[in-house]
Amino acid sequence: MTALYVLPRDVLARCLEFLPFDQALEVKQVSKVVRSAARRALTGRWRSIMFVEEQGLDLIENSTPSEWSEPRRVEVRRALATFRAAWELDAGLVVFEIAQWSDECYRRFLALVEPNIDGLSRVVAACERTYCFKTNSIANTYRGIHVPYRVAWPGDMLLAWSERVGRQLRLLVDDDMDEELVEQGLYIKDSDEGGYWGRKLFGSGLGEWADPELAAYFVFHLVERLPEPTGFEFVDFDDYWDWSANWWDRYKSSDFLSTAQEIIARESQWP
């Protein structure tokens, strides 16, 4: 850490820009010099993320959906551009930030950055960070501090987003559904049949997870929340294989499938 003090402040700020966002926040506590450089880093590379964190909720809460659909005010257009820049920079971090908002606010935000169902793979990929927090952080701590407020379950966020963009996420086509309802859904199983292509998008998003074992558990918990027909009996090992069939990282695919086998074996033992 001593070596940091010999660097010019501009150079130090550029160095800190290479840190993950969380670490860039944490180093502000090191010293006055490092804090100043960290602030410059946060208003540089991480400016759009800071904008979402500091101003995003107020902007969404105090505006109507129509103001964002065809933004005429300059400040709304700029805010929308910054939201999308933040999403492009680190979608996983953005999901964690908006998971602390109300249900309606995070739905609206997600629909702004991913306005149609083609973004399914990106939204699925962005769920990993928040799912990891929800499953591993018993004490609800983040950035080394206690989080006193609720953090939404990312599977619920995914479902809410799919409804918001008009293609409700479902496991498979229900034979009892009328044709109009079928066309309004997006199906993550047997999606090659009848032109339903949700399976490929869903699997592509899962393939972006750094922890494939965590991804397998996410699928299990997500299926429990999907609209009827649902139930884990509809998902077997072949479905997991289909979702991971096109992953370029075959080691990751193997870990995903191994975990799926463990989950299925354990669930099959339940009475």
Side-chain angles (χ1 to χ4, degrees):
M1 187 62 67
T2 304
L4 292 177
Y5 295 102
V6 304
L7 295 175
R9 187 166 300 180
D10 289 346
V11 176
L12 178 56
R14 292 298 300 274
C15 292
L16 296 181
E17 285 184 356
F18 289 94
L19 291 176
F21 179 73
D22 298 344
Q23 293 181 20
L25 285 176
E26 291 173 3
V27 298
K28 290 172 63 178
Q29 305 173 22
V30 172
S31 71
K32 184 177 180 180
V33 172
V34 177
R35 180 166 59 250
S36 176
R39 286 174 179 167
R40 298 186 66 172
L42 291 169
T43 56
R45 178 189 177 192
W46 299 108
R47 182 185 66 82
S48 59
I49 299 291
M50 292 294 293
F51 182 84
V52 172
E53 183 178 283
E54 296 176 349
Q55 302 182 46
L57 179 57
D58 287 341
L59 286 167
I60 295 293
E61 281 186 326
N62 298 316
S63 60
T64 63
S66 61
E67 291 182 75
W68 297 93
S69 59
E70 295 183 4
R72 297 179 180 179
R73 292 188 295 148
V74 173
E75 57 267 33
V76 175
R77 291 199 298 270
R78 288 176 177 171
L80 182 57
T82 306
F83 287 167
R84 290 173 174 167
W87 184 255
E88 181 71 20
L89 179 62
D90 192 332
L93 182 56
V94 171
V95 165
F96 186 87
E97 294 297 340
I98 67 174
Q100 300 162 37
W101 300 0
S102 68
D103 294 354
E104 179 59 24
C105 286
Y106 72 60
R107 289 180 188 180
R108 289 173 59 186
F109 183 95
L110 285 174
L112 290 174
V113 296
E114 291 292 354
N116 58 65
I117 205 64
D118 292 346
L120 175 62
S121 60
R122 292 184 290 273
V123 179
V124 170
C127 287
E128 180 176 11
R129 185 190 189 103
T130 306
Y131 183 69
C132 182
F133 173 83
K134 293 290 286 185
T135 55
N136 295 331
S137 184
I138 299 175
N140 286 336
T141 57
Y142 179 58
R143 297 178 188 156
I145 61 174
H146 178 66
V147 178
Y149 32 75
R150 50 90 76 178
V151 174
W153 195 78
D156 292 338
M157 298 177 71
L158 176 63
L159 292 174
W161 166 77
S162 72
E163 293 178 16
R164 185 88 185 188
V165 298
R167 293 291 297 275
Q168 187 178 49
L169 195 67
R170 294 178 179 274
L171 183 62
L172 71 169
V173 177
D174 186 347
D175 293 336
D176 296 329
M177 292 168 59
D178 60 44
E179 184 175 347
E180 182 178 354
L181 285 177
V182 170
E183 292 178 353
Q184 292 174 356
L186 185 73
Y187 306 93
I188 61 175
K189 179 181 175 184
D190 298 328
S191 52
D192 285 341
E193 298 179 8
Y196 305 114
W197 38 267
R199 183 176 66 193
K200 292 181 179 178
L201 287 174
F202 184 66
S204 176
L206 292 173
E208 295 298 319
W209 283 45
D211 186 340
E213 297 179 9
L214 199 65
Y217 278 100
F218 175 76
V219 172
F220 170 70
H221 291 131
L222 177 66
V223 167
E224 293 180 320
R225 284 171 157 81
L226 290 176
E228 295 292 342
T230 189
F232 203 79
E233 64 270 20
F234 288 102
V235 177
D236 56 29
F237 182 77
D238 288 341
D239 297 310
Y240 281 91
W241 188 91
D242 285 339
W243 287 321
S244 62
N246 295 321
W247 293 6
W248 65 271
D249 189 332
R250 302 317 299 168
Y251 292 103
K252 187 184 290 187
S253 174
S254 177
D255 289 343
F256 178 76
L257 295 176
S258 297
T259 305
Q261 283 184 316
E262 294 173 3
I263 294 173
I264 293 170
R266 183 171 62 249
E267 291 302 308
S268 65
Q269 295 175 3
W270 281 49

